[in-house]
Amino acid sequence: VRHHPVKPGVHPENEDWTCFEQTASLDIKSFFGFESTVEKIAMKQYASSIKKGKEIIEYYLKELEEEGITHVSRWTPSTISLPSSRPTSPSTNTPDIPRLAVIPAVSVPLSTEDSASQDVKLDNSLLQADSLTEILAGTPEDKLDADYIKRYLGDLTPLQESCLIRLRIWLQETHKGKIPKDEHILRFLRARDFNMDRAREILCQSLTWRKQHQVDYLLETWTSPQVLQDYYTGGWHHHDRDGRPLYILRLGQMDTKGLVRALGEESLLRHVLSINEEGLRRCEENTKVFGRPISCWTCLVDLEGLNMRHLWRPGVKALLRIIEVVEANYPETLGRLLILRAPRVFPVLWTLVSPFIDENTRKKFLIYAGNDYQGPGGLVDYIDKEIIPDFLAGECMCEVPEGGLVPKSMYRTPEELENEDVRLWTETIYQSASIFKGAPHELLIEIIDASSVITWDFDVCKGDIVFNIYHSKRAPQLPRKDPLGAHGITSPGGNNVQLIDKSWTLGQDYSMVESPLTCKEGESVQGSHITRWPGFYILQWRFHNMPACSATNLPRVDDVLATLQVSSHKCKVMYYTEVLGSEDFRLVTVDSFNSAFSVQSAPVLSLTTPSSSSTSCSVFFP
């Protein structure tokens, strides 16, 4: 190992700073197959040498300070250029050369004698097993010489390189567990504009999270369920013009509700995490293939088919949680997001999601409405024409599943979803209720703010039911009250507790606030109600009695067949309800939306509420 002279110079970003740089070279022809081990031992020695050199520089700076010298004339480098011994190929076994941290405020000349080359001898004791284990445990696995930086990390200023080295050293000294690669550390530094304290904080939180949930082993241990293979409309597809892995998501064709109901949020989140882990692996592969740093991927989202059913509230909440987890643990992994064929409902979804997306990430979004992506500035600017998918009028066959509705037979009960082996979230969305003839299932919600919104979503699993909503100023007599969020109470035990007293008179003691809704077996129902008065609201699911034919007393054929399908006078529903206080929601009216915002629109799309519109729809969201 040979160290080369320390080369001081003016810092490129601040002329008042002096930057000290030192290099070294390593030449190993053969070492019985342990060449890599010798590299790491040499790196350990070299790091120790750098530390000593820093102590010497700081010593002389302190000497100057004690002598009252506050300014030293700028040092002029010699015109004699030293031969470079850095390798020409990143594949050669050459040690990684970190630069010294920047020392501000003064320039210090170093004599040739102070920085003369010196040989570093390898002590044989370092090759003993115990010492070797200790050295390797604290030695960086990746290299930091100029070629390595250019080949794997991209352009870094001396200050940015210094931040990377210091953060890695800090992790080696303090973090117990697997140390991430330089590329991963850089993502967190870039996400926080190379603010060391902020980057260190979020990186440590992410490393703890990865260890807790065994994310490092996810690709080896996670097997995608068949329902995801058939109905999750996303997949990897070649790469873009910059060599970034390309992921395609046909969100408009995805049955979000069906996937959540069939898998639960846990499995859906793990699948998304596996996609991100696969993206990191593909970035590493493409870096080797293209010979330049590729640290992020491109995502193409096709929104054809997106409609109001995709704004199903539990599904949106699951999406927001996924975004939150990905933003916290995979920063700076998205290089570009192409949103295609955005429909008029898209601004509502964007307004829901965008606050949870980092501002730097939002700047990478390019949005196209209609067929604008086919023109100038469209897909061909970012993706080779030969790999544009066939469903986007391209010539390349795409293996991304076409999606469709997940069969309700695949839906799982809340109890089944509750028994997941490893849970990243603990929230249970749905409750189940059995409804008997003459014994409805009723849910009591107390409303204090008259401007609240009651939302519901339920599936009729068995039989036919009638859904009603009532309002009463009087509180029904309950054995006990169970809080439901901040606004509501439910009947104890859930099933078959009569909330509406038989002595009550409709129109006097309580009133109907929505028209009765008859729901057939297998139907899914979503809706909301804006409360006009404070008081008590009762959501009721009751058994639906088959009416006789109006012309005769004989039942209709359809009614007889429906009756035969029901083995007993029992129905079953699975439901989810939530109350939004006036401070938690906004009313947005979406007028006729066209492609005016399309090609490369601003990162944030604003929604306006026109004073009058005959073609608008109202959506409530937090």
Side-chain angles (χ1 to χ4, degrees):
V1 180
R2 181 172 294 276
H3 292 187
H4 299 287
V6 175
K7 296 188 296 183
V10 177
H11 193 278
E13 296 182 1
N14 191 328
E15 293 186 354
D16 294 332
W17 289 5
T18 296
C19 180
F20 296 89
E21 181 179 5
Q22 184 175 353
T23 61
S25 61
L26 174 68
D27 185 15
I28 303 176
K29 294 183 179 179
S30 176
F31 202 83
F32 310 104
F34 291 94
E35 290 82 5
S36 177
T37 301
V38 175
E39 270 192 71
K40 295 179 179 179
I41 296 174
M43 185 63 194
K44 183 75 173 182
Q45 293 273 6
Y46 182 68
S48 176
S49 175
I50 287 181
K51 183 178 180 181
K52 185 63 177 179
K54 181 181 178 183
E55 292 176 357
I56 294 173
I57 293 173
E58 291 177 343
Y59 172 81
Y60 285 107
L61 287 175
K62 187 176 181 181
E63 288 274 314
L64 292 174
E65 185 180 359
E66 291 177 353
E67 294 176 9
I69 298 176
T70 58
H71 177 75
V72 178
S73 300
R74 177 174 297 178
W75 177 76
T76 304
S78 172
T79 56
I80 301 176
S81 59
L82 296 174
S84 173
S85 58
R86 295 192 179 187
T88 58
S89 172
S91 62
T92 57
N93 292 331
T94 305
D96 311 331
I97 313 300
R99 299 173 186 168
L100 286 173
V102 174
I103 301 177
V106 67
S107 299
V108 181
L110 293 179
S111 65
T112 305
E113 295 179 358
D114 293 332
S115 57
S117 302
Q118 47 184 304
D119 292 331
V120 179
K121 298 179 181 179
L122 294 178
D123 192 336
N124 289 336
S125 64
L126 293 176
L127 300 180
Q128 300 299 321
D130 294 340
S131 301
L132 185 60
T133 302
E134 181 180 351
I135 289 173
L136 296 183
T139 302
E141 190 175 329
D142 295 322
K143 302 176 174 61
L144 285 178
D145 65 1
D147 290 332
Y148 166 75
I149 292 174
K150 181 179 179 180
R151 177 72 168 76
Y152 294 99
L153 304 181
D155 295 330
L156 293 177
T157 67
L159 187 59
Q160 292 172 344
E161 186 179 342
S162 174
C163 289
L164 173 60
I165 296 170
R166 285 185 291 157
L167 185 52
R168 168 171 276 283
I169 293 175
W170 182 87
L171 287 171
Q172 291 170 342
E173 294 175 349
T174 61
H175 182 71
K176 296 181 180 180
K178 185 176 180 181
I179 303 299
K181 296 182 179 180
D182 289 337
E183 299 94 309
H184 197 64
I185 297 177
L186 264 181
R187 290 187 179 98
F188 286 85
L189 284 168
R190 286 170 174 151
R192 292 299 180 266
D193 297 323
F194 285 87
N195 183 304
M196 281 283 294
D197 292 335
R198 295 171 59 198
R200 181 170 54 213
E201 179 182 359
I202 62 173
L203 177 56
C204 289
Q205 291 174 355
S206 178
L207 291 177
T208 301
W209 172 83
R210 294 181 69 89
K211 183 178 181 180
Q212 179 182 357
H213 300 291
Q214 298 293 297
V215 179
D216 288 332
Y217 310 101
L218 189 60
L219 291 181
E220 292 78 16
T221 59
W222 167 257
T223 301
S224 179
Q226 189 62 44
V227 65
L228 279 175
Q229 299 178 29
D230 296 336
Y231 295 97
Y232 190 88
T233 55
W236 294 99
H237 181 78
H238 300 283
H239 56 79
D240 68 3
R241 287 183 176 270
D242 296 322
R244 297 166 174 166
L246 175 63
Y247 189 82
I248 294 180
L249 180 65
R250 303 184 67 178
L251 185 60
Q253 305 298 318
M254 186 180 297
D255 181 10
T256 309
K257 176 180 177 179
L259 290 175
V260 173
R261 293 295 306 277
L263 295 170
E265 294 179 352
E266 309 301 322
S267 295
L268 200 56
L269 173 61
R270 288 198 174 275
H271 183 65
V272 174
L273 294 181
S274 71
I275 293 172
N276 281 270
E277 291 295 307
E278 174 68 15
L280 295 178
R281 187 186 67 80
R282 287 175 177 262
C283 284
E284 291 184 13
E285 291 180 352
N286 285 19
T287 295
K288 297 176 183 178
V289 171
F290 292 98
R292 62 177 184 272
I294 296 175
S295 59
C296 52
W297 54 81
T298 293
C299 185
L300 187 155
V301 181
D302 179 26
L303 296 183
E304 185 185 45
L306 188 78
N307 53 43
M308 295 302 294
R309 68 181 174 86
H310 289 92
L311 299 182
W312 175 60
R313 184 171 175 78
V316 172
K317 290 176 67 175
L319 174 62
L320 296 181
R321 288 193 181 93
I322 290 174
I323 291 176
E324 185 178 11
V325 172
V326 172
E327 281 283 328
N329 298 284
Y330 300 91
E332 295 297 318
T333 54
L334 180 66
R336 181 180 295 116
L337 181 67
L338 303 170
I339 300 178
L340 274 55
R341 301 198 279 193
R344 60 187 300 272
V345 74
F346 171 72
V348 179
L349 181 62
W350 175 255
T351 305
L352 284 169
V353 172
S354 59
F356 292 83
I357 303 176
D358 181 75
E359 181 179 356
N360 291 332
T361 303
R362 292 202 302 266
K363 294 177 181 178
K364 303 172 184 178
F365 285 32
L366 300 175
I367 305 170
Y368 303 83
N371 294 322
D372 292 339
Y373 69 91
Q374 297 179 355
L379 277 187
V380 291
D381 283 11
Y382 307 102
I383 301 174
D384 288 334
K385 182 179 179 181
E386 294 76 17
I387 67 168
I388 294 179
D390 51 346
F391 61 86
L392 293 174
E395 302 174 356
C396 185
M397 295 296 294
C398 184
E399 297 181 357
V400 174
E402 295 183 359
L405 295 178
V406 177
K408 288 187 170 59
S409 59
M410 294 185 176
Y411 285 11
R412 300 167 68 187
T413 65
E415 293 76 14
E416 291 173 332
L417 296 177
E418 186 72 24
N419 293 329
E420 293 287 342
D421 293 336
V422 180
R423 295 186 61 82
L424 304 185
W425 300 322
T426 58
E427 180 179 5
T428 302
I429 293 181
Y430 284 88
Q431 299 181 41
S432 59
S434 296
I435 303 164
F436 299 90
K437 190 173 183 179
H441 177 74
E442 295 176 341
L443 180 71
L444 181 64
I445 299 176
E446 182 179 5
I447 297 296
I448 299 175
D449 187 347
S451 299
S452 300
V453 177
I454 302 173
T455 66
W456 59 82
D457 176 84
F458 63 86
D459 291 287
V460 184
C461 304
K462 181 179 181 181
D464 297 342
I465 60 100
V466 177
F467 178 66
N468 282 297
I469 303 180
Y470 301 100
H471 171 263
S472 174
K473 297 180 180 179
R474 299 169 53 184
Q477 296 298 318
L478 294 175
R480 63 185 178 88
K481 296 182 179 180
D482 297 327
L484 176 63
H487 300 274
I489 53 178
T490 61
S491 57
N495 290 332
N496 306 324
V497 175
Q498 194 74 30
L499 300 178
I500 299 178
D501 195 285
K502 293 183 179 180
S503 63
W504 283 12
T505 303
L506 183 63
Q508 296 181 5
D509 302 294
Y510 68 107
S511 59
M512 184 181 296
V513 296
E514 292 279 355
S515 300
L517 181 63
T518 301
C519 308
K520 300 292 185 179
E521 180 176 328
E523 288 186 350
S524 297
V525 180
Q526 300 90 36
S528 61
H529 174 77
I530 308 174
T531 61
R532 298 178 58 187
W533 313 280
F536 299 90
Y537 287 79
I538 300 172
L539 276 59
Q540 181 194 76
W541 293 265
R542 63 177 175 82
F543 192 92
H544 176 55
N545 293 313
M546 301 295 179
C549 179
S550 56
T552 67
N553 291 328
L554 296 176
R556 296 178 299 174
V557 174
D558 291 343
D559 295 336
V560 173
L561 294 177
T563 303
L564 293 175
Q565 293 176 357
V566 181
S567 59
S568 65
H569 296 294
K570 176 183 176 180
C571 300
K572 185 176 181 179
V573 296
M574 295 182 64
Y575 67 91
Y576 168 82
T577 62
E578 186 172 3
V579 177
L580 306 179
S582 59
E583 70 280 2
D584 296 329
F585 74 87
R586 291 176 292 157
L587 174 61
V588 172
T589 304
V590 183
D591 202 353
S592 53
F593 181 68
N594 52 42
S595 61
F597 73 92
S598 61
V599 181
Q600 300 188 22
S601 66
V604 178
L605 299 175
S606 60
L607 292 177
T608 58
T609 306
S611 56
S612 62
S613 174
S614 59
T615 59
S616 63
C617 59
S618 299
V619 181
F620 294 94
F621 56 88

